[in-house]
Amino acid sequence: MWSLLVCALLAISYCYAEKIIIVGAGAAGIATAARLLEHNVTDFRILEAEGRIGGRIHSLQIGDAYVDIGAQYVHGQKGNTVYELSKAYLKKGKDFDKALLYYGSTMKTGNTLLDEFISLAEETTYTNVNVSIGEAFSSRYNATCLKKYKDDLKMLTYSHDFLRTIECIILTVDGAFSWNKISSMSNFKFQSGENFLQWDGLGYKTILDLLLKNYPQKTGYNIDNQLSLEKTVTRIILKNNSVKLKCKDGSEYSSDHVVFTPSLGVLKHEHKNLFMPRLERPKVDAIEDLGFDGVIKVILEFATPWWGKHDDFFLVWNEEKRNNLAKDIPFGPTKDGDHWLSWFYLVGTSPKNSKALVGWILGPMVPEVEKLSEDQMKTGVMYALKTFLGKDFDITEPTKVIHSKWYMNPNIRGAYSYETLISKKHDPSAQEALAEPITAKDGVPRILFAGEATSSHRFATVDGAIETGYREADRLLKILKVK
Ligand SMILES: Cc1cc2nc3c(=O)[nH]c(=O)nc-3n(C[C@H](O)[C@H](O)[C@H](O)COP(=O)(O)OP(=O)(O)OC[C@H]3O[C@@H](n4cnc5c(N)ncnc54)[C@H](O)[C@@H]3O)c2cc1C
């Protein structure tokens, strides 16, 4: 009892001194540490709020292999840092062309509408006009599909219902609650090669070991002594030429430099309390104007897999199925006449895993849907699977259903950053403003910013996050005059 009290008092009164403090042990934080270690800089500490490293990389062992409840795909090959480090452990990309598409309980073959809509989406995203993707897509849709199918009521209804599916695909890419919030202009740079490479059962967490040169053998950097878990930084104070950090548990640290890597969601929520003095414009504008909403991944484990050789299923809700929802699933949120489950649109397999399926729920109700109990989630998604696929598959009961809670997690508060109509007006870009370090009176950068949202061209990705960690480590190496 006394020793506990003494420890607590010591933690409160003692201020630990470090040369560099990295806040956050996600991809960006670990990349920063790895780069410093490569240059023999060991005088740093990582303060991580969670009890694990990885942040939005979180691989769970389900059945035979790891399944990712956060980042899952490696998007691109040429020039992709993750690909370069991990190509030996990746599996060929997902082939969504082979997905089965169910419209109500009917399997649609040929998927012509999917192809048609995907090319419309390609035309209306990454344009030169700053309108929302929702607006751009709808006007192209009106000019093409609506005209084409105007005398075919069946196709017209199908294509109208299909609009939700295409919105969900776009929201999966951008992580927004609505496609009306996403700018159709983007600085995001696609890399050539496969766009949906997956880890072959090892889980995305393997990238953290690869960064630290600890895979396939644990012979790389050991950061155990430099890593403090369950350390939530609550205050970052720049005074004279040093930075003081206060943590939720009462401990304090001082350092010459801080690399701040928490998400844009954390910044949106906390920046006014976190930084002393407060952050200035244009950084505050960037934080407020860039988008950061949420997505839900649902992982289902089955004792007996029932899906045969199929990998992915698109679920396209028709009016009848949507109308049944209020009666059949009388719990969970509704919004503008929509039931939360009508935003459950895709479910697919995970590599090397014969027992797990991963589903996606998108849209404006994500914050409320996250709050559903695991039992409610199981009832909802199983109802949907049986309604859509029950005629063709003998669907078994899952042994476990887990859903992600990234939005309600105070250490993340969402999914990944996206460009809004307002952030797109920033010049230089909002991401560049976010990445700008805070310099002390001596002219030396003292608080540095990394993390996916600070990447100008690869935001929203793991490789983008890693590049920003390297960028800020290189900045420090220059300041410290380390070769
Ligand atoms: C569901 C989902 C699916 C995704 N799919 C993909 C994908 O397929 N491919 C892809 O490339 N990317 C994907 N992403 C995006 C990718 O995961 C992120 O871009 C990347 O992991 C972000 O890394 P980061 O280091 O910038 O931030 P984070 O991973 O958010 O790391 C920041 C760390 O800071 C910690 N922290 C926060 N606040 C504090 C505090 N006050 N004190 C101390 N520590 C704190 C957090 O706990 C966290 O560990 C996905 C993300 C999600 C949520």
Side-chain angles (χ1 to χ4, degrees), residues 78 88 111 129 143 164 261 273 284 296 300 326 371 388 475:
K78 195 156 184 254
N111 294 351
V129 217
R164 167 63 55 82
T261 73
N273 302 323
V284 172
I296 297 178
L300 301 105
K371 293 180 197 152
F388 281 92
R475 198 193 299 270

Side-chain angles (χ1 to χ4, degrees), residues 186-422:
S186 180
N187 287 341
F188 188 86
K189 277 217 169 79
F190 283 95
Q191 293 159 335
S192 57
E194 297 234 24
N195 204 26
F196 288 98
L197 290 159
Q198 297 198 82
W199 292 84
D200 205 4
L202 296 168
Y204 222 128
K205 69 175 178 52
T206 312
I207 194 65
L208 305 168
D209 286 330
L210 287 165
L211 283 168
L212 295 168
K213 304 189 194 304
N214 280 323
Y215 196 84
Q217 272 92 37
K218 259 194 163 327
T219 48
Y221 307 119
N222 182 347
I223 56 165
D224 288 355
N225 290 332
Q226 284 130 314
L227 174 67
S228 300
L229 295 174
E230 293 179 352
K231 280 276 176 197
T232 305
V233 175
T234 51
R235 205 103 167 108
I236 301 175
I237 304 158
L238 176 63
K239 203 169 173 196
N240 301 325
N241 297 325
S242 79
V243 194
K244 194 169 168 183
L245 293 97
K246 294 187 177 191
C247 295
K248 203 171 162 185
D249 64 3
S251 56
E252 292 187 2
Y253 294 81
S254 77
S255 70
D256 293 349
H257 308 275
V258 167
V259 182
F260 185 87
T261 73
S263 72
L264 176 64
V266 170
L267 277 171
K268 276 181 187 286
H269 209 263
E270 300 289 345
H271 76 89
K272 286 187 187 139
N273 302 323
L274 258 171
F275 295 95
M276 168 94 181
R278 284 191 176 180
L279 299 177
E280 290 176 6
R281 302 192 179 280
K283 200 183 282 291
V284 172
D285 290 336
I287 291 169
E288 287 171 358
D289 295 347
L290 282 165
F292 197 79
D293 295 343
V295 303
I296 297 178
K297 283 175 91 170
V298 187
I299 298 180
L300 301 105
E301 184 182 5
F302 295 89
T304 331
W306 47 263
W307 47 89
K309 286 196 160 48
H310 303 289
D311 271 331
D312 295 287
F313 301 90
F314 281 104
L315 314 177
V316 186
W317 295 80
N318 61 19
E319 196 181 355
E320 182 204 337
K321 300 271 177 238
R322 279 197 307 269
N323 288 344
N324 289 340
L325 282 172
K327 170 174 60 72
D328 294 345
I329 305 292
F331 56 82
T334 56
K335 199 176 165 85
D336 304 328
D338 271 343
H339 188 280
W340 65 273
L341 198 55
S342 68
W343 288 92
F344 174 41
Y345 88 106
L346 174 67
V347 68
T349 57
S350 190
K352 282 259 167 74
N353 201 313
S354 59
K355 294 186 171 165
L357 287 181
V358 181
W360 287 81
I361 301 178
L362 287 308
M365 286 173 269
V366 162
E368 286 76 37
V369 180
E370 278 192 354
K371 293 180 197 152
L372 294 179
S373 69
E374 300 301 2
D375 268 353
Q376 288 175 316
M377 182 59 78
K378 178 174 160 182
T379 306
V381 294
M382 287 311 290
Y383 168 88
L385 291 181
K386 284 178 185 164
T387 308
F388 281 92
L389 315 173
K391 237 174 26 165
D392 296 343
F393 295 90
D394 206 355
I395 301 177
T396 56
E397 276 305 295
T399 46
K400 201 191 280 176
V401 176
I402 308 166
H403 66 274
S404 63
K405 298 178 180 85
W406 295 109
Y407 187 83
M408 64 162 80
N409 182 335
N411 302 318
I412 306 292
R413 296 194 183 278
Y416 22 95
S417 63
Y418 65 90
E419 293 184 287
T420 64
L421 295 173
I422 312 175

